[in-house]
Amino acid sequence: MLLLSKSVWTSTMNRSIETSNIIMESIGKVVENYKQSDLLCEGCPRIPEPKLERYAPNSATVFQDSARIEAGFRLIFHRVIYKNEDLDESDHEEYNDEEKTDPEHYDVVVCHGNVIRYCLLRVLQLDTSAWLRFALNNGSITWVTIFADGKVSVRSVGDSGHIPKEHSTYS
């Protein structure tokens, strides 16, 4: 597989580290940045709406998890600001003009269903209390493109066609 990966981000939980190692082997080259972060660990990002009888997280857990998961979102998801742009936004990555013409690259994020659902809603600027309305198979791929002008395109959510049906599991 030919994939120009700038970074591979992974949760510090064992199943994410194992999966990220498999992905990096499949990429076939060393990525520029391999980063593990506790901010990407599984948790409860919000009290779900509508409330569910079978899932009722306590307020203390949600308070801690939501702040951590939001910090993980802000660490990874943002638009690129090129140095020739006249914008006063200090929390964005900056690239030289020459890098603007570099081939497409991908940041791979290996984490957990609740974190993926939350980040997907955040990147789309939708109400994050709806995070449990998405069903994701374990090992599935969600592909989001953030363009330099800030526009967002979601190309797939929870795609698990690469996993044989008999090995597919649900989170």
Side-chain angles (χ1 to χ4, degrees), residues 25-76:
E25 284 177 24
S26 296
I27 290 172
K29 71 174 197 114
V30 177
V31 296
E32 290 179 30
N33 298 302
Y34 174 72
K35 301 174 183 179
Q36 293 182 6
S37 177
D38 291 333
L39 300 176
L40 300 173
C41 289
E42 186 66 292
C44 180
R46 291 275 310 264
I47 302 247
E49 284 293 330
K51 293 183 179 173
L52 303 173
E53 288 181 26
R54 69 182 195 286
Y55 183 68
N58 67 51
S59 297
T61 298
V62 175
F63 181 76
Q64 289 181 333
D65 289 352
S66 64
R68 177 181 49 76
I69 294 169
E70 174 64 19
F73 171 81
R74 290 176 182 226
L75 178 67
I76 296 170

Side-chain angles (χ1 to χ4, degrees), residues 19 29 39 55-56 59 68 76 78 104 109 124 132 135 160 168:
T19 302
K29 71 174 197 114
L39 300 176
Y55 183 68
S59 297
R68 177 181 49 76
I76 296 170
H78 53 278
E104 196 171 78
V109 182
L124 291 172
L132 265 182
S160 59
S168 183

Side-chain angles (χ1 to χ4, degrees), residues 22 34 57 74 86 93 119 135 154 162:
I22 292 168
Y34 174 72
R74 290 176 182 226
D86 187 26
E93 285 187 61
C119 289
V154 176
H162 58 286

Side-chain angles (χ1 to χ4, degrees), residues 10-13 15-16 37-44 65 68-69 110-112 114-115:
T10 186
S11 146
T12 55
M13 296 178 80
R15 62 185 182 257
S16 286
S37 177
D38 291 333
L39 300 176
L40 300 173
C41 289
E42 186 66 292
C44 180
D65 289 352
R68 177 181 49 76
I69 294 169
V110 182
C111 58
H112 310 276
N114 294 353
V115 177

Side-chain angles (χ1 to χ4, degrees), residues 151-167:
K151 292 179 182 160
V152 174
S153 174
V154 176
R155 301 204 177 182
S156 69
V157 177
D159 183 352
S160 59
H162 58 286
I163 300 171
K165 188 174 182 177
E166 63 273 9
H167 294 124

Side-chain angles (χ1 to χ4, degrees), residues 6 32-33 35 74-102 105 107 148:
K6 181 180 171 203
E32 290 179 30
N33 298 302
K35 301 174 183 179
R74 290 176 182 226
L75 178 67
I76 296 170
F77 294 95
H78 53 278
R79 68 177 276 226
V80 173
I81 305 295
Y82 295 100
K83 287 187 178 178
N84 64 340
E85 292 185 40
D86 187 26
L87 296 172
D88 184 25
E89 298 184 40
S90 60
D91 63 337
H92 298 290
E93 285 187 61
E94 289 189 6
Y95 292 96
N96 295 321
D97 292 338
E98 303 81 46
E99 291 177 347
K100 194 170 187 174
T101 59
D102 277 357
H105 73 269
D107 286 345

